[in-house]
Amino acid sequence: MLWARTVNRHGARTALLVAGVLLSVTACSSDEPATKTTKSPVCPSSLPAPSFKVSLAQTFLNIYNASSTDGLASRAASELTWRGAHVLSTGNDPNPDDRPEPKAAEIRYGKNGKQVALNLATQVQNAVLYQDDRTNPTVDLILGDGFKFVPVPPPAADRVTLNVYNTTFKSGLSGTVAAALKQRGFKIAQTGNDPGGGFFPDDTAIIRYGEHGEPAARRVQLSVKGARLVKDGRKDETIDLLLGSKFEDVVPAAQATPTIEPTATRPPGC
């Protein structure tokens, strides 16, 4: 108060001005933490067709997980390696703050990798592309929560090795069905009763397959209407067809053809 009484008019005006500025700054300040700006996930858009084909055997990529699913990058790497690609590394997205999380998948590439990226995008549903500053033709595949592969088309019947097993009380059923499927080109390995002793009174058939056997299993399924696919732990690509109690006959050959895969649906929120 003493200081306020001894200052001159000019000083008083200055003091009031400074006080006003301080009050203004104080009023604008807050102990609340600043609101963090979050980046919206990237939604897919239509991509142009590749100008030329780059096979997966010519594709070198890193696979990074930006989803909430543990181990997704490793599983995707196993699938793409089986399809023929060269996976250099896997892990979590090393640049999570630089790019928003993709809804499905993002493929990052450099100035020499666009055609590699566009060809890789044909293997992945709803992928988006992003060009960074790399100069080599490697690409990064970033996996979001909506990540899915484009299914591999079923192989020709003559590329499928098939065991046909009977789980019913109908004698000779596996041999009869195996003969019909052999005429369609399937390679028949074994026939007889199910070595696992399975019994499926409520099923037409069960088709068992291993880690990378789903395309071949879907080829067999085309010939057996209502057959149920069951993945087991086998390491090879052989397929088991187990005939259940509701099995009647194979589908006519003219109807046992694959249909065109439907266009991938957009992820939720896009």
Side-chain angles (χ1 to χ4, degrees):
M1 295 295 293
L2 179 62
W3 176 82
R5 286 197 297 268
T6 57
V7 295
N8 58 26
R9 291 181 181 178
H10 179 74
R13 287 197 298 270
T14 303
L16 288 172
L17 178 61
V18 172
V21 171
L22 291 174
L23 286 172
S24 176
V25 171
T26 303
C28 293
S29 300
S30 172
D31 291 335
E32 294 295 327
T35 302
K36 183 179 179 180
T37 301
T38 57
K39 298 178 181 179
S40 299
V42 179
C43 285
S45 57
S46 298
L47 295 176
S51 298
F52 55 86
K53 182 175 177 59
V54 179
S55 70
L56 286 175
Q58 299 171 298
T59 302
F60 294 80
L61 74 155
N62 305 297
I63 302 179
Y64 297 129
N65 190 2
S67 77
S68 57
T69 303
D70 291 339
L72 185 59
S74 295
R75 292 194 292 276
S78 176
E79 175 67 19
L80 277 174
T81 299
W82 174 72
R83 294 188 183 195
H86 300 276
V87 177
L88 302 174
S89 66
T90 62
N92 292 327
D93 184 5
N95 301 306
D97 297 327
D98 296 341
R99 293 287 299 157
E101 175 191 326
K103 283 282 189 177
E106 180 175 80
I107 301 173
R108 299 172 187 164
Y109 66 96
K111 64 180 182 179
N112 295 314
K114 184 172 183 179
Q115 294 305 315
V116 179
L118 286 171
N119 276 272
L120 179 60
T122 65
Q123 302 287 323
V124 179
Q125 294 186 23
N126 292 314
V128 297
L129 266 59
Y130 173 74
Q131 184 172 349
D132 56 26
D133 58 1
R134 77 187 69 191
T135 57
N136 61 55
T138 65
V139 296
D140 295 347
L141 174 61
I142 316 300
L143 313 179
D145 281 325
F147 170 76
K148 290 182 180 179
F149 280 112
V150 173
V152 174
D158 61 7
R159 294 178 56 196
V160 178
T161 300
L162 181 63
N163 303 311
V164 183
Y165 295 130
N166 188 3
T167 71
T168 76
F169 298 110
K170 300 175 184 177
S171 178
L173 182 61
S174 66
T176 301
V177 173
L181 293 175
K182 185 176 181 179
Q183 289 184 338
R184 299 183 182 189
F186 289 98
K187 297 178 180 178
I188 305 300
Q190 298 181 37
T191 63
N193 293 330
D194 177 20
F199 179 56
F200 304 100
D202 299 319
D203 282 287
T204 298
I206 303 294
I207 299 173
R208 294 190 300 220
Y209 64 96
E211 182 177 4
H212 300 301
E214 184 180 352
R218 285 189 278 114
R219 168 59 72 178
V220 177
Q221 190 181 37
L222 292 171
S223 290
V224 186
K225 185 177 181 179
R228 184 159 54 92
L229 300 184
V230 176
K231 185 177 181 180
D232 60 18
R234 73 188 63 196
K235 301 301 181 182
D236 61 24
E237 295 183 29
T238 61
I239 305 297
D240 292 350
L241 172 61
L242 288 76
L243 305 173
S245 298
K246 292 189 175 181
F247 177 83
E248 294 181 358
D249 202 353
V250 293
V251 172
Q255 299 176 20
T257 55
T259 57
I260 298 175
E261 293 290 342
T263 303
T265 57
R266 292 173 69 80
C270 290

